[in-house]
Every structure is written in C-alpha cells, then in structure tokens.
Amino acid sequence: MKIHFDFDTKHFESSEAVVVAAYAKKDGGVQLSWSDAQLKKEFAMAKSSKNFKAAAGTTYGFTCSRMSDVIVIGMGEKTKAKAEGIRRATAAALQAVSGNKYNSVAIDAASFNAINKLAETASLINEALIMTGYKFDKYFKEAQKESFKDICIYVSDKKVKKQIEKVEESSRNLADSVNFCRDLVNEAPNVLHSEEYAKRVEKDVKTALKGKGVKVKIMGKADLKKENMNLFLSVNAASAYEPRLVHLTYTPKKVTKNTKHYALVGKGLTFDTGGYSLKPGGSMMGMKFDMGGSATVYGAFRAAVLNNSPYKITCILGMTDNAVSATGTTPDSIVKGRNGLTVEILNTDAEGRLVLADCLDYACDQKPDYIIDAATLTGACLVALGSQVCAVLGNDDKFVKQVQDSAKAQDEYMWQLPIIPEWREDMKSKIADLKNIGTPARAGTATAAAFLENFIKDDIKWAHLDIAGVCDSQSHLPYCPPKGASGLMVRSLHKLLNG
Ligand code: BES
Ligand code: MG
Ligand code: ZN
C-alpha cells in the first residue's frame, strides 16, 4: 500500500473510491465539511442518505456521477471529536475500502478535520493508515495480496503545503517505528533469540538511523561478567544463546550544558518459560512477547531520533530468554547484582526484574536526568488494570505525571500505581538484601516496581511502565491488529522525547 499526499483535485476526482467523513448535528442532521461541492449535492440527492445520521462507527455508501464509489464515515458529534476519533475513523475507512476492490482510493482530509487543524488532521490520518495497514504475514506460503495499490490523502488547502511536508515525514517516521516494534514482538522466538535480536537492532540503526548521531555498543556474556551483571546472567544461565545488552546513544545536533538526557531501558526476554519455576503450558503460550518492553523503547528511540529529538537519549536493551536446563538458576539461589545488592531468587519466573535491575544500574552510570523503563513485567498488571491500560510507577510524582501527560496527548491509557514503604519492606529477604517476589497475589505490579527502585541511584528521576496488558491483542483499537503486537506506548514515549 502506497500512501501519498495530494493537493490536486484531479487526483481526488479520478480515484475509484473516495472517502469523506461526516459529523452528526445535535438536531439529527449531518454536517459535511467536504472539499467537493458536487459530492455534497449528490449526497443530498441520494434517497437513502437521509437515514444516515453520521453516528460514530457507521458508514454510508453511494456512487457519484463521476462513477467513483463514495464511502461516508460517521464521526459522531463534532464537539466531542478528538484526535483519537480521527485515528479510529481512518481505521474504519481503511477497513471499508479494503478487500481487493479498488486500485486507488482518495481520502478527503478536510472532511475529517474536527480539531480545526488541517495539517494535524492529515498527519493523524497518515499515522492511522500506516498503523492500520500493518500485517505480519511473512510466514505464509503465498504472499497476501495488497488490499489496493494507492491511497491518496487529499488536502484541499494549498496554504498548508509546507506544514504537510513536515508532518507527512514525522507521522510516517512515528508509525513506521510503531510497526518496526510490532515486527520484533511478533517474530517467532526460535528465530528472534537474543543474538539475532541484537543483530536486527544493530542493522536497523545502521540503515534507518544512518547519519543521525547514534552509536551502538553490543555486549555479550564476557562483557556482562566483567560488569558484574550477575542478576542478568542468572536469567541467561539455562539459555542456548548468549545474552545481549544493546547500548545505543543518540546525541542531537545541538548540545548545550542544559540539554536533558533521557535513558530508556527495556526488558528483552525473547521467551519466558518461567525457568525452574516453570509456567504451565497455557500461560507460557504467547511468552515470545516478553521482549515487548525492549521493542517498545527501541521503537520510541527510533522515532525520536528520526524526528530529530532535541534531547540526548540512551537506550539500553537487555536480551535473553528464560529457559530450562541443568545449568539454569534454581529457586533459593542468592545472587549479587551489579550494584552490590544480593537477591534471594525464590521464583525464577520473576526474571524480568533481575535483568532490569542490572540494566537500570548500568543506565544510572550513564548519568541521565531521567530513566524510563518498559517491561511486560507482571501478570498482576492485567488483574489490576485489564489489558487496555498501561501501569506507571516511579520515584518522582512530577515526572510520572509528565509521562502520563505524554500518554494522554497520544490517547494512550496510562494509570499510576503507588509504591508504599510496606511494599518496599515486602521485598526484603531474611537472608539477603532483597528477594525477587513479594507476598503472593498481593500488589504484584507495585512490589515488582518496589524491587526495581533499589537499582536507581543518585536520585535520578525514574518511571517504570508495566506493559504486560497493552503489549498485544488490543482488539478494541481498530488501528491495532486484534491479535499480536500492538506497538502501544511507542507514541507516548515519542511524545515525551519530541514534544
Ligand atoms: N513475563 C511475565 C509477566 C507476564 C505474565 C506478562 C502474564 C503477561 C502475562 C513475568 O516474567 C512473570 O512471569 N511474572 C510473574 C511474577 C511472579 C512470579 C511474582 C507473574 O506475573 O506471574
Ligand atoms: Mg516470568
Ligand atoms: Zn517475563
């Protein structure tokens, strides 16, 4: 599917199908902010059009005298319209015109513009088209047919041409990075093990981010040993593959002593069997997505760099699988982490926090102003917040609020959970500094965060995202595949890093 922006009505008129949006009026009528006067007239003339009230989620179709099919997307009331409405309506539009029926489709951006910003509307349409058009179909014997070849976002006002050029690129960078994240998460774990994962990220940095000021450092088992990252190594102990710590640094073109430095840290468990504390078969299914946190922060890093973030950004991805073998770490083991704290590992299935612990300590040594980590860390997150809401916890309420505001600006759900002294106490061991699980079935998401907090030093402002719920199967969002990776939170973090 090729998407292009067009300012020429000819292109709009010659398309096989035309998509226009309509808003519902309070009096039961419809409001049409369409660029094409002729279309409006023909809509009014069509007998059945009076039955169409433009409620959100409804569509209406007719054929105009130019012989193109017209698909009208109902948007609901304009006063209630938000950016998310435009994303969802675009996804509905794409669904409505898919199915090998049309070679060319044009979307009238102005008709969707409920937020009074035409360039931003066009940008949202582009973003939603790229996200909705995503497919993970590389493993089928026969390539899936493209729904159609060409889709045109028609912008009727030439005055916004300059703005459009900018947002066309930035929205594509963002949505492509969401899709890049999805591809990594969807990849099979027998293919995407730690060594392959690191290679793929490195290759992407060297191609997509070439000349953008990004440096790559990849660390293996020997390097982690030198760094005393024994908690990370304990998770890798049963693996057939070497662990990988991918360390990326981005330096913007202009740096002053006031330039802020963000560090992103991601859990990259390419598969989580649970280890000796083995998961039952049903719960193990889908655990290829346990590297979703790292794919999310890499996706955000990628988009931020492509869109020339003004901040210095460090990105640290901790990659391994949590396998089972004779060399695996047994429950009851006591292991000393990079920061010198000892951990009694009572459950080898609480492995993500062990990898993150050493990665967070390593991140602190890069002297960032802020650290944000993302991880599919706890099943408890799904119990607390369902599969639609991302949990955020941290050591600085103001910073957490800033992260939440970025999520809100992108219409992604993020809710704060507390870390209280009692839960910090719950993570203390009787025979070591810490233990890796708290009281069973009690505040699992927050006790995990209380554990991680021990590895943040120098009072660096830190926010932890538990994406266990939102990482996949977002079937309520029409621009996400109903099954498989969602790519959610890439947009929120991009917002934080690029404003
Ligand atoms: N990767 C899982 C978390 C997870 C579970 C995400 C289910 C999504 C769905 C994590 O490594 C894990 O196994 N956590 C344990 C922690 C427990 C042993 C304290 C969990 O949530 O059961
Ligand atoms: Mg686990
Ligand atoms: Zn895990």
Side-chain angles (χ1 to χ4, degrees):
M1 178 177 79
K2 253 200 223 123
I3 305 168
H4 76 277
F5 284 74
D6 217 306
F7 295 87
D8 190 344
T9 54
K10 262 195 249 145
H11 219 108
F12 182 63
E13 287 166 6
S14 64
S15 294
E16 290 176 5
V18 169
V19 177
V20 280
Y23 283 89
K25 283 207 270 195
K26 280 222 167 68
D27 63 5
V30 293
Q31 187 186 343
L32 313 175
S33 316
W34 298 357
S35 306
D36 189 304
Q38 179 72 21
L39 273 194
K40 268 203 221 178
K41 234 195 232 161
E42 294 191 24
F43 172 82
M45 271 155 53
K47 270 198 179 123
S48 56
S49 69
K50 62 179 184 310
N51 303 326
F52 175 67
K53 305 290 180 210
T58 61
T59 57
Y60 173 77
F62 68 101
T63 305
C64 76
S65 56
R66 289 195 303 258
M67 299 311 288
S68 51
D69 287 352
V70 182
I71 295 116
V72 190
I73 308 287
M75 302 287 285
E77 269 179 48
K78 201 165 195 167
T79 48
K80 293 182 188 156
K82 288 202 312 183
E84 181 68 358
I86 296 171
R87 277 189 209 99
R88 292 186 188 203
T90 304
L94 192 57
Q95 242 100 53
V97 295
S98 290
N100 306 325
K101 213 165 135 193
Y102 304 115
N103 284 309
S104 57
V105 176
I107 297 183
D108 179 16
S111 70
F112 284 80
N113 182 13
I115 51 178
N116 265 329
K117 291 171 191 154
L118 185 54
E120 197 178 319
T121 300
S123 163
L124 286 163
I125 292 173
N126 193 33
E127 178 187 302
L129 283 177
I130 299 172
M131 288 197 296
T132 312
Y134 174 83
K135 281 190 186 78
F136 185 73
D137 55 5
K138 64 189 268 198
Y139 285 108
F140 291 116
K141 187 172 166 198
E142 268 176 55
Q144 309 276 92
K145 262 202 185 150
E146 285 261 29
S147 299
F148 40 82
K149 290 188 196 99
D150 187 43
I151 189 154
C152 152
I153 302 173
Y154 171 62
V155 183
S156 47
D157 185 354
K158 287 199 176 74
K159 281 197 292 264
V160 293
K161 205 165 182 169
K162 270 249 156 62
Q163 276 169 279
I164 290 284
E165 274 164 20
K166 259 200 205 153
V167 299
E168 177 181 6
E169 197 187 334
S170 60
S171 56
R172 182 170 14 92
N173 286 339
L174 177 55
D176 278 350
S177 297
V178 169
N179 288 349
F180 192 85
C181 161
R182 289 169 169 178
D183 263 343
L184 290 172
V185 176
N186 285 328
E187 187 55 279
N190 54 322
V191 178
L192 195 89
H193 46 72
S194 46
E195 296 167 20
E196 170 66 16
Y197 188 7
K199 272 190 207 149
R200 284 205 193 174
V201 171
E202 185 181 24
K203 186 176 163 206
D204 188 58
V205 168
K206 293 199 164 148
T207 50
L209 307 185
K210 199 175 162 197
K212 285 285 188 178
V214 178
K215 279 197 195 132
V216 196
K217 181 175 167 192
I218 297 182
M219 290 157 69
K221 202 170 191 160
D223 305 300
L224 300 195
K225 274 188 188 154
K226 252 188 241 158
E227 287 280 343
N228 291 317
M229 299 179 107
N230 300 313
L231 291 170
F232 188 160
L233 286 164
S234 78
V235 177
N236 180 252
S239 177
Y241 307 102
E242 278 218 13
R244 288 284 184 261
L245 187 151
V246 177
H247 176 175
L248 308 172
T249 43
Y250 162 73
T251 313
K253 291 228 163 69
K254 250 201 254 150
V255 183
T256 69
K257 64 178 190 330
N258 297 325
T259 300
K260 292 276 180 241
H261 178 187
Y262 285 84
L264 306 173
V265 178
K267 170 177 173 181
L269 263 288
T270 57
F271 197 79
D272 182 10
T273 66
Y276 269 114
S277 313
L278 195 65
K279 283 184 188 293
S283 322
M284 204 187 290
M285 228 174 350
M287 278 300 144
K288 68 171 183 180
F289 95 139
D290 214 17
M291 34 61 72
S294 55
T296 302
V297 295
Y298 179 66
F301 176 85
R302 187 185 193 275
V305 170
L306 284 172
N307 286 336
N308 305 312
S309 166
Y311 306 122
K312 195 173 166 205
I313 312 171
T314 294
C315 183
I316 289 155
L317 315 169
M319 303 168 177
T320 178
D321 53 338
N322 186 21
V324 215
S325 91
T327 59
T329 301
T330 53
D332 286 349
S333 295
I334 297 177
V335 178
K336 189 188 267 191
R338 186 178 184 274
N339 76 348
L341 290 177
T342 53
V343 179
E344 185 187 12
I345 299 173
L346 290 172
N347 189 318
T348 60
D349 198 13
E351 84 298 337
R353 63 196 71 184
L354 302 175
V355 171
L356 284 178
D358 280 342
C359 288
L360 287 170
D361 183 61
Y362 179 88
C364 289
D365 284 355
Q366 315 307 312
K367 303 270 173 247
D369 299 291
Y370 309 97
I371 297 180
I372 303 148
D373 78 73
T376 48
L377 205 62
T378 62
C381 189
L382 283 120
V383 179
L385 296 173
S387 54
Q388 298 87 354
V389 180
C390 172
V392 60
L393 305 96
N395 61 0
D396 183 279
D397 282 344
K398 229 170 118 189
F399 181 51
V400 167
K401 171 84 170 46
Q402 202 188 327
V403 178
Q404 271 183 302
D405 285 346
S406 302
K408 208 168 194 182
Q410 286 294 328
D411 303 299
E412 294 191 319
Y413 297 126
M414 194 185 276
W415 200 260
Q416 186 181 10
L417 298 175
I419 303 177
I420 59 171
E422 286 80 352
W423 293 336
R424 294 188 181 105
E425 210 47 48
D426 197 26
M427 296 313 289
K428 289 193 178 149
S429 159
K430 293 220 160 52
I431 54 170
D433 298 317
L434 295 165
K435 54 188 170 75
N436 78 330
I437 53 169
T439 306
R442 294 288 181 275
T445 302
T447 51
F451 175 87
L452 294 179
E453 194 188 43
N454 290 286
F455 299 87
I456 304 294
K457 59 187 172 207
D458 304 331
D459 294 326
I460 296 170
K461 293 181 174 65
W462 160 71
H464 158 64
L465 305 183
D466 195 330
I467 61 162
V470 299
C471 187
D472 77 338
S473 303
Q474 297 294 294
S475 53
H476 58 289
L477 295 176
Y479 48 82
C480 288
K483 282 235 160 63
S486 68
L488 290 191
M489 301 305 137
V490 169
R491 286 187 292 126
S492 296
L493 292 178
H494 173 264
K495 180 78 189 167
L496 184 76
L497 297 169
N498 289 64

Coordinates of all heavy atoms in Angstrom, one line a residue, residues 42-90:
E42 N -24.7 15.6 -4.5 CA -25.2 14.2 -4.8 C -25.6 13.4 -3.6 O -26.4 12.6 -3.6 CB -24.1 13.5 -5.7 CG -24.0 14.2 -7.0 CD -23.1 13.4 -8.0 OE1 -23.0 12.2 -7.8 OE2 -22.6 14.1 -8.9
F43 N -24.9 13.7 -2.5 CA -25.2 13.0 -1.2 C -26.6 13.4 -0.8 O -27.5 12.5 -0.5 CB -24.2 13.4 -0.1 CG -24.6 13.0 1.2 CD1 -24.3 11.7 1.7 CD2 -25.3 13.8 2.1 CE1 -24.6 11.2 2.9 CE2 -25.6 13.4 3.4 CZ -25.3 12.1 3.8
A44 N -26.9 14.7 -0.9 CA -28.3 15.2 -0.6 C -29.3 14.6 -1.5 O -30.5 14.4 -1.1 CB -28.3 16.7 -0.6
M45 N -29.0 14.4 -2.7 CA -29.9 13.8 -3.7 C -30.2 12.3 -3.5 O -31.3 11.8 -3.9 CB -29.4 14.1 -5.1 CG -29.9 15.4 -5.7 SD -28.8 16.1 -7.0 CE -28.8 14.7 -8.1
A46 N -29.2 11.6 -3.0 CA -29.4 10.2 -2.8 C -30.5 9.9 -1.8 O -30.5 10.5 -0.7 CB -28.1 9.6 -2.3
K47 N -31.5 9.1 -2.2 CA -32.7 8.9 -1.4 C -32.4 8.5 0.0 O -33.0 8.9 1.0 CB -33.6 7.9 -2.1 CG -34.6 8.6 -3.1 CD -35.7 7.7 -3.4 CE -36.6 8.5 -4.4 NZ -36.8 7.7 -5.6
S48 N -31.5 7.5 0.1 CA -31.3 6.8 1.4 C -30.4 7.6 2.3 O -30.3 7.3 3.5 CB -30.8 5.4 1.3 OG -29.6 5.5 0.5
S49 N -29.8 8.7 1.8 CA -28.8 9.4 2.6 C -29.5 10.1 3.9 O -28.8 10.3 4.9 CB -28.1 10.5 1.8 OG -28.9 11.5 1.5
K50 N -30.8 10.4 3.8 CA -31.4 11.0 4.9 C -31.5 10.0 6.2 O -31.7 10.5 7.3 CB -32.8 11.5 4.6 CG -33.8 10.4 4.2 CD -35.1 11.0 3.9 CE -36.2 10.0 3.5 NZ -35.7 9.0 2.5
N51 N -31.3 8.8 5.9 CA -31.3 7.8 7.0 C -30.0 7.7 7.7 O -29.9 7.1 8.8 CB -31.7 6.4 6.5 CG -33.0 6.4 5.8 OD1 -33.9 7.1 6.1 ND2 -33.1 5.6 4.7
F52 N -29.0 8.3 7.1 CA -27.6 8.3 7.7 C -27.5 9.4 8.6 O -27.6 10.6 8.2 CB -26.6 8.3 6.5 CG -25.2 8.4 7.0 CD1 -24.6 7.3 7.7 CD2 -24.4 9.5 6.8 CE1 -23.3 7.4 8.1 CE2 -23.1 9.6 7.2 CZ -22.5 8.5 7.8
K53 N -27.2 9.1 9.9 CA -27.1 10.2 10.9 C -25.7 10.5 11.4 O -25.5 11.2 12.3 CB -28.0 9.8 12.2 CG -29.4 9.5 11.9 CD -30.2 10.7 11.5 CE -31.7 10.4 11.1 NZ -32.3 11.2 10.2
A54 N -24.7 9.9 10.7 CA -23.3 10.1 11.0 C -22.9 9.7 12.4 O -21.9 10.3 13.0 CB -22.9 11.5 10.7
A55 N -23.6 8.8 13.0 CA -23.2 8.3 14.3 C -21.8 7.6 14.2 O -21.5 7.1 13.1 CB -24.2 7.2 14.8
A56 N -21.0 7.8 15.2 CA -19.6 7.2 15.2 C -19.7 5.7 15.0 O -20.6 5.0 15.5 CB -18.9 7.5 16.5
G57 N -18.9 5.2 14.1 CA -18.9 3.8 13.8 C -19.8 3.3 12.7 O -19.8 2.2 12.3
T58 N -20.6 4.3 12.1 CA -21.5 3.9 11.0 C -20.9 4.4 9.7 O -20.1 5.3 9.7 CB -22.9 4.5 11.1 OG1 -22.8 5.9 11.1 CG2 -23.5 4.1 12.4
T59 N -21.2 3.7 8.6 CA -20.8 4.2 7.3 C -22.0 4.2 6.3 O -23.0 3.6 6.5 CB -19.7 3.3 6.7 OG1 -20.3 2.0 6.6 CG2 -18.4 3.2 7.5
Y60 N -21.8 5.0 5.2 CA -22.9 5.1 4.2 C -22.2 5.2 2.9 O -21.2 5.8 2.7 CB -23.7 6.4 4.5 CG -24.7 6.6 3.3 CD1 -25.9 5.9 3.3 CD2 -24.4 7.6 2.4 CE1 -26.8 6.1 2.2 CE2 -25.3 7.9 1.4 CZ -26.5 7.1 1.3 OH -27.4 7.3 0.3
G61 N -22.7 4.4 1.9 CA -22.1 4.4 0.6 C -23.0 4.8 -0.5 O -24.2 4.6 -0.5
F62 N -22.5 5.5 -1.5 CA -23.2 5.8 -2.8 C -22.3 6.0 -3.9 O -21.0 6.1 -3.7 CB -24.2 7.0 -2.6 CG -23.4 8.3 -2.4 CD1 -23.3 9.2 -3.5 CD2 -22.9 8.7 -1.2 CE1 -22.7 10.5 -3.4 CE2 -22.3 9.9 -1.0 CZ -22.2 10.8 -2.1
T63 N -22.8 6.0 -5.1 CA -21.9 6.2 -6.3 C -22.2 7.5 -6.9 O -23.3 7.9 -7.1 CB -22.2 5.1 -7.3 OG1 -22.0 3.8 -6.7 CG2 -21.2 5.2 -8.5
C64 N -21.2 8.3 -7.1 CA -21.4 9.7 -7.6 C -21.3 9.7 -9.2 O -20.9 8.7 -9.8 CB -20.4 10.7 -7.0 SG -18.8 10.6 -7.7
S65 N -21.7 10.8 -9.8 CA -21.9 10.8 -11.2 C -20.5 10.6 -11.9 O -20.5 10.3 -13.1 CB -22.5 12.1 -11.6 OG -21.8 13.2 -11.1
R66 N -19.4 10.9 -11.2 CA -18.1 10.7 -11.8 C -17.7 9.2 -11.8 O -16.6 8.8 -12.2 CB -17.0 11.5 -11.0 CG -17.1 13.0 -11.2 CD -15.9 13.6 -10.7 NE -15.6 13.3 -9.3 CZ -15.8 14.1 -8.2 NH1 -16.4 15.3 -8.4 NH2 -15.5 13.7 -7.0
M67 N -18.7 8.4 -11.3 CA -18.5 6.9 -11.3 C -17.5 6.4 -10.3 O -17.1 5.3 -10.4 CB -18.2 6.4 -12.7 CG -19.2 6.7 -13.8 SD -20.8 6.2 -13.3 CE -20.8 4.4 -13.3
S68 N -17.3 7.2 -9.3 CA -16.5 6.7 -8.2 C -17.4 6.4 -7.0 O -18.4 7.0 -6.8 CB -15.3 7.6 -7.8 OG -15.8 8.9 -7.6
D69 N -17.0 5.3 -6.3 CA -17.8 5.0 -5.1 C -17.4 6.0 -4.0 O -16.3 6.3 -3.9 CB -17.4 3.6 -4.6 CG -18.0 2.5 -5.5 OD1 -18.8 2.9 -6.4 OD2 -17.7 1.3 -5.4
V70 N -18.4 6.4 -3.3 CA -18.2 7.3 -2.2 C -18.5 6.6 -0.9 O -19.6 6.0 -0.7 CB -19.1 8.6 -2.3 CG1 -18.7 9.6 -1.2 CG2 -18.8 9.2 -3.7
I71 N -17.6 6.6 0.1 CA -17.8 6.0 1.4 C -17.8 7.1 2.4 O -16.8 7.8 2.5 CB -16.8 4.9 1.7 CG1 -16.9 3.8 0.7 CG2 -16.9 4.4 3.1 CD1 -15.7 3.6 -0.2
V72 N -19.0 7.3 3.1 CA -19.1 8.3 4.1 C -18.9 7.7 5.5 O -19.6 6.7 5.8 CB -20.5 9.0 4.0 CG1 -20.5 10.3 4.9 CG2 -20.8 9.4 2.6
I73 N -18.0 8.2 6.2 CA -17.7 7.7 7.6 C -18.3 8.5 8.6 O -18.1 9.7 8.7 CB -16.1 7.6 7.8 CG1 -15.4 7.0 6.7 CG2 -15.8 7.0 9.2 CD1 -15.5 5.5 6.6
G74 N -19.2 7.9 9.4 CA -19.8 8.7 10.5 C -18.9 8.9 11.6 O -18.1 8.0 12.1
M75 N -18.9 10.2 12.1 CA -17.9 10.6 13.2 C -18.5 10.9 14.5 O -17.8 11.2 15.5 CB -17.1 11.8 12.7 CG -16.4 11.7 11.4 SD -14.9 10.7 11.5 CE -13.8 11.8 12.3
G76 N -19.8 10.9 14.6 CA -20.4 11.3 15.9 C -20.4 12.9 15.9 O -20.1 13.5 14.9
E77 N -20.6 13.4 17.1 CA -20.7 14.9 17.2 C -19.4 15.5 17.2 O -18.4 15.1 17.8 CB -21.4 15.2 18.6 CG -22.9 15.3 18.5 CD -23.5 15.6 19.9 OE1 -22.9 16.5 20.5 OE2 -24.5 15.0 20.2
K78 N -19.3 16.7 16.5 CA -18.1 17.4 16.3 C -17.5 17.9 17.6 O -16.3 17.9 17.8 CB -18.3 18.5 15.3 CG -17.0 19.0 14.6 CD -17.3 19.9 13.4 CE -16.1 20.0 12.6 NZ -16.4 20.6 11.3
T79 N -18.4 18.3 18.5 CA -17.9 18.9 19.7 C -17.2 17.9 20.6 O -16.4 18.2 21.4 CB -19.1 19.5 20.5 OG1 -20.1 18.5 20.5 CG2 -19.6 20.8 19.9
K80 N -17.5 16.6 20.4 CA -16.9 15.6 21.2 C -15.7 15.0 20.5 O -15.0 14.1 21.0 CB -17.9 14.4 21.5 CG -19.0 14.9 22.4 CD -20.0 13.7 22.6 CE -21.2 14.2 23.4 NZ -22.3 13.3 23.2
A81 N -15.4 15.5 19.3 CA -14.4 14.9 18.5 C -13.0 15.2 19.0 O -12.7 16.3 19.5 CB -14.5 15.4 17.0
K82 N -12.1 14.2 18.9 CA -10.7 14.4 19.4 C -9.8 13.7 18.3 O -10.3 13.0 17.4 CB -10.5 13.6 20.7 CG -11.2 14.4 21.9 CD -10.5 14.0 23.2 CE -10.4 12.4 23.4 NZ -9.8 12.0 24.6
A83 N -8.6 13.8 18.5 CA -7.6 13.2 17.6 C -7.9 11.7 17.5 O -7.8 11.1 16.4 CB -6.2 13.4 18.1
E84 N -8.2 11.1 18.6 CA -8.4 9.6 18.6 C -9.6 9.2 17.7 O -9.6 8.2 17.0 CB -8.7 9.1 20.0 CG -8.9 7.6 20.2 CD -7.7 6.8 19.9 OE1 -6.6 7.3 19.5 OE2 -7.8 5.5 20.0
G85 N -10.6 10.1 17.6 CA -11.7 9.9 16.7 C -11.3 9.8 15.3 O -11.8 9.0 14.5
I86 N -10.3 10.7 14.9 CA -9.8 10.7 13.6 C -9.0 9.5 13.3 O -9.2 8.8 12.2 CB -9.0 12.0 13.3 CG1 -9.9 13.2 13.5 CG2 -8.3 12.0 12.0 CD1 -9.1 14.6 13.5
R87 N -8.2 9.0 14.2 CA -7.5 7.8 14.1 C -8.4 6.6 13.8 O -8.3 5.8 12.9 CB -6.6 7.5 15.3 CG -5.3 8.2 15.4 CD -4.5 7.6 16.5 NE -3.6 8.7 17.0 CZ -3.8 9.4 18.0 NH1 -4.9 9.2 18.8 NH2 -3.0 10.4 18.4
R88 N -9.4 6.5 14.7 CA -10.3 5.4 14.6 C -11.2 5.4 13.4 O -11.4 4.4 12.7 CB -11.3 5.3 15.9 CG -10.5 5.0 17.1 CD -11.3 4.8 18.3 NE -10.5 4.7 19.5 CZ -10.9 4.1 20.6 NH1 -12.1 3.6 20.7 NH2 -10.1 4.0 21.6
A89 N -11.6 6.6 13.0 CA -12.4 6.7 11.7 C -11.6 6.4 10.5 O -12.1 5.8 9.6 CB -12.9 8.1 11.6
T90 N -10.3 6.7 10.5 CA -9.4 6.4 9.4 C -9.3 4.9 9.3 O -9.3 4.3 8.2 CB -8.0 7.0 9.6 OG1 -8.2 8.4 9.8 CG2 -7.1 6.7 8.5

